Amino acid sequence: MGYKKYYTNKIIWYLITLVIAVVLNFILPRLMPGDPVSAIAARAVDGMTDSTAIQAVYEDYAEKFGVNLPMSTQFLIFIKNALRGDFGVSFSQYPRTVGNIIASSVWWTVCLQLPAILLGWILGNVLGAVSAYKKGIFDKGILPVFLFMSNVPAFGMATVLLYVFSLKLGLAPSSGGYGFDLIPSASITFFRSVLAHYQLPFWSVVLITVGGQAIGMRSMSIYELNADYVKYSRFMGIKDRKIVGYVFRNAMLPQITGLAMSIGTMIGGALVAEIIFSYPGLGTTLLAAVKGRDYPLISACTLIITIMVLLANLFVELIYGVIDPRIKAAQQD
């Protein structure tokens, strides 16, 4: 019964958060100054001189995009369509649909960010744990180097890698997701080109992830190694290997939260790396949508980010109920 109450409360609060996020996700982009429909209509009436015809074209586009309706009506239509996965037509890339744009961009971001975040998280936690337990060269030599790199801004790390390994050494392409002379296909040539363009964005994310994860793991490990239960366990003659297992299991709990947050925000976090390397992911798409005041595309991108963050945090909360002995004890009481 205790676990049922714990899980029910968590799910209810996250559902409330989702509702508030969806409302803000709809309203905030529409508070931006400017009228994107005017820009689309202006391209359509280029060369026309009849003011009546120009006004008719504008009204036609306003009706087509639904911006002439009351805000409350627009919101209800937005919710109805979003539940079906339909986010309408893009303003900035008309007549492409928002779903088509996201489908062509999201997998580039996921395939770039997810492996980079996982590798950086694993390397950082291993380095932090070893630095806390073994010390020596790991604590005084390797860790400070990665800590320094993690404090370099994302755009700075990307720029340095671009300058050194692309412009100076010529080891990797400087921009794009694949060669500009290629058409996406299942060929070996296209795969090699994608892999070559993948290297620099991938390592720019990994290098700025390792240091932060390592220092967090090191601090938590040192705290746990000095805890009373460790001293008592050693006094009781329990093997050091088993004690270390409990220490690092407890130290991993905050790191799991950090991993979930990183995965949840990976689409937004890809923005800098994708812009620097002109990588065709969702981060670049979101920036273009903001510049073009593309309400449907902005709403769709931010809604995806919001849902990913909420799901990642909810997953961590549910997992904590199983792996954290303090929560287990609280539920049993």
Side-chain angles (χ1 to χ4, degrees), residues 13-36:
W13 277 111
Y14 275 94
L15 286 175
I16 294 173
T17 305
L18 177 62
V19 171
I20 296 173
V22 169
V23 174
L24 294 176
N25 177 69
F26 174 81
I27 294 175
L28 293 180
R30 286 159 177 79
L31 297 179
M32 296 171 62
D35 184 2

Side-chain angles (χ1 to χ4, degrees), residues 237-259:
I238 299 175
K239 293 182 179 179
D240 199 50
R241 179 179 296 180
K242 191 168 185 178
I243 296 173
V244 169
Y246 284 114
V247 166
F248 292 136
R249 177 184 172 183
N250 291 335
M252 282 296 294
L253 294 176
Q255 301 301 98
I256 294 174
T257 303
L259 175 62

Side-chain angles (χ1 to χ4, degrees), residues 99-272:
N100 177 262
I101 296 171
I102 291 178
S104 64
S105 304
V106 68
W107 288 111
W108 288 96
T109 293
V110 172
C111 291
L112 169 65
Q113 288 282 304
L114 187 57
I117 290 172
L118 290 176
L119 179 61
W121 186 80
I122 292 171
L123 292 177
N125 282 290
V126 171
L127 177 59
V130 174
S131 298
Y133 188 66
K134 293 288 187 182
K135 296 184 170 54
I137 184 67
F138 293 98
D139 198 38
K140 294 181 171 58
I142 300 176
L143 181 61
V145 173
F146 279 101
L147 186 59
F148 169 78
M149 288 192 292
S150 70
N151 284 281
V152 175
F155 70 87
M157 180 62 70
T159 303
V160 169
L161 293 181
L162 179 65
Y163 178 78
V164 173
F165 293 99
S166 180
L167 301 182
K168 285 297 182 182
L169 301 179
L171 298 178
S174 61
S175 62
Y178 51 88
F180 294 108
D181 57 336
L182 297 176
I183 298 176
S185 64
S187 64
I188 297 297
T189 302
F190 179 74
F191 177 77
R192 287 177 177 174
S193 179
V194 169
L195 192 60
H197 286 78
Y198 183 82
Q199 296 177 53
L200 293 184
F202 175 80
W203 287 110
S204 71
V205 176
V206 171
L207 292 176
I208 63 175
T209 303
V210 172
Q213 295 293 337
I215 197 65
M217 185 62 177
R218 176 183 178 275
S219 299
M220 288 302 302
S221 297
I222 291 175
Y223 174 81
E224 293 293 336
L225 285 168
N226 292 317
D228 290 338
Y229 74 88
V230 173
K231 298 174 183 177
Y232 182 75
S233 299
R234 285 174 174 162
F235 176 77
M236 293 293 293
I238 299 175
K239 293 182 179 179
D240 199 50
R241 179 179 296 180
K242 191 168 185 178
I243 296 173
V244 169
Y246 284 114
V247 166
F248 292 136
R249 177 184 172 183
N250 291 335
M252 282 296 294
L253 294 176
Q255 301 301 98
I256 294 174
T257 303
L259 175 62
M261 287 295 295
S262 297
I263 293 176
T265 58
M266 67 180 175
I267 292 178
L271 185 62
V272 172

